[in-house]
Amino acid sequence: MKITRRNLLAASAAFAVTPALAQGAKNMTLVVPFPPGGSTDALARLLQSHLQTKLSRTVLVENKSGAAGSLGAIQVAKSAPDGATFLVTFDSHAVIPSILEKPGVDVEKDLVPVFLVGTAPYVVAANAERPYKNFADVVAACKKNPGAVKYASVGIGTLGHLAMTVLGKKAGVEITHVPYRGGGPAMNDVLGGHVDMIVGSAALITAQLGTNMLRPILQMGRERMPVLKDTQTAIEAGFPDFETLAWWGIFAPKDTPADVIAAMAKSVKEILSEPAVATQLQETQQMTLLLADGKAFSTFFAKQVGIWGQVVRENNIKA
């Protein structure tokens, strides 16, 4: 290859990005603010294995659940801004400021958006032994016996919980919310028949469809997903322009150097752009990969804070 000034500059830039993450003596920790078993945990563990290989550095996943995801966020916010600690989190992160009276972390000031991985529609599914075939059946049951129908979510303030609150209000019914600290515990209780239904990301719901123990009854994307082609959308069910998407993203402590942020975003984008990895997320997590860097993620995140914060306030939801 002919050595040119352009080639040298490109090589220097590539070299400058990698050491920002790889040269640290500390292990890298990916903090997940939910228990093992959910979609966020699965994403973190996927990244863990690939980052270890890519950076030649030990990468750990630590599950720090509780307080609507704020405990994990607080831990990362208080960590040294040296590229050793990152938060891999879920959509409820945008609701922390509005749902907690004293959150202990300012999600817009104490943490820096690094990378927006992707989105997936929320889905409502019922224990297969329950009589609900669609959302209209749920509404009818709630009108007949207010408060008797119970649904699980992956936590207070997750978009699934807020979406069900809005749907119940629009339908004029009360659907009893049973919050859990993550997707694994919530799903276990629905499959066990302790709760009638669950609202969760498509990633969480579709993983159980082959068991014949769960029946999807509503999806919240604008169009039906191929894997749920027989399940109506909320728009089709009579809720115009209603859409709720789960999302997954990565944050770092404030004051983390810009080159470290860029290096992490670059590494994650390269990993998730690999065809085998992208296919895995698309098929097992039902994700639409966005692969957006910090600037685009910041804009997206600010909108999420505004939209769902308003829902929290209007319905007086508290953790």
Side-chain angles (χ1 to χ4, degrees), residues 242-257:
F242 189 92
E243 178 185 38
T244 304
L245 301 178
W247 57 264
W248 296 261
I250 300 172
F251 291 80
K254 71 175 181 180
D255 299 327
T256 298

Side-chain angles (χ1 to χ4, degrees), residues 22-134:
Q23 69 188 5
K26 293 182 181 179
N27 296 336
M28 178 185 287
T29 300
L30 304 178
V31 177
V32 177
F34 305 103
S39 60
T40 310
D41 181 67
L43 171 63
R45 294 181 189 281
L46 174 67
L47 290 173
Q48 172 194 29
S49 61
H50 287 277
L51 283 169
Q52 284 193 146
T53 300
K54 191 174 189 66
L55 303 176
S56 298
R57 181 179 181 182
T58 300
V59 180
L60 308 172
V61 173
E62 180 179 350
N63 298 90
K64 182 77 171 181
S65 63
S70 68
L71 295 187
I74 291 170
Q75 177 173 321
V76 174
K78 291 182 177 180
S79 299
D82 57 4
T85 310
F86 292 90
L87 180 71
V88 181
T89 192
F90 194 53
D91 55 49
S92 59
H93 187 70
V95 188
I96 287 174
S98 54
I99 203 166
L100 296 177
E101 185 175 346
K102 296 180 179 180
V105 61
D106 187 325
V107 296
E108 294 185 277
K109 294 181 180 180
D110 297 339
L111 294 160
V112 181
V114 176
F115 196 76
L116 175 59
V117 176
T119 62
Y122 265 94
V123 178
V124 181
N127 179 293
E129 294 184 358
R130 299 302 196 269
Y132 317 124
K133 300 296 191 298
N134 51 49

Side-chain angles (χ1 to χ4, degrees), residues 167-249:
L167 286 177
K169 196 171 184 179
K170 287 180 177 292
V173 297
E174 178 188 350
I175 315 174
T176 301
H177 180 218
V178 183
Y180 289 79
R181 285 191 172 184
M187 182 60 74
N188 287 340
D189 267 14
V190 174
L191 295 178
H194 304 296
V195 186
D196 304 300
M197 304 184 302
I198 184 171
V199 58
S201 72
L204 178 64
I205 304 301
T206 57
Q208 299 295 330
L209 295 185
T211 65
N212 295 320
M213 299 172 66
L214 200 67
R215 179 188 304 115
I217 60 175
L218 188 75
Q219 53 184 308
M220 299 185 191
R222 290 194 173 274
E223 299 177 353
R224 297 189 185 193
M225 293 183 293
V227 71
L228 294 174
K229 58 182 176 58
D230 295 325
T231 304
Q232 65 181 181
T233 67
I235 295 171
E236 292 170 331
F239 301 93
D241 202 37
F242 189 92
E243 178 185 38
T244 304
L245 301 178
W247 57 264
W248 296 261

Side-chain angles (χ1 to χ4, degrees), residues 125-151:
N127 179 293
E129 294 184 358
R130 299 302 196 269
Y132 317 124
K133 300 296 191 298
N134 51 49
F135 197 69
D137 290 341
V138 174
V139 172
C142 290
K143 288 181 176 179
K144 183 177 181 180
N145 195 355
V149 179
K150 299 179 175 63
Y151 75 93

Side-chain angles (χ1 to χ4, degrees), residues 112-116 261 265 292-300:
V112 181
V114 176
F115 196 76
L116 175 59
I261 298 292
D293 63 14
K295 185 176 181 180
F297 187 15
S298 294
T299 300
F300 173 91

Side-chain angles (χ1 to χ4, degrees), residues 248-273:
W248 296 261
I250 300 172
F251 291 80
K254 71 175 181 180
D255 299 327
T256 298
D259 64 332
V260 173
I261 298 292
M264 184 62 168
K266 180 176 183 290
S267 295
V268 172
K269 186 172 185 177
E270 289 175 351
I271 290 168
L272 300 183
S273 295

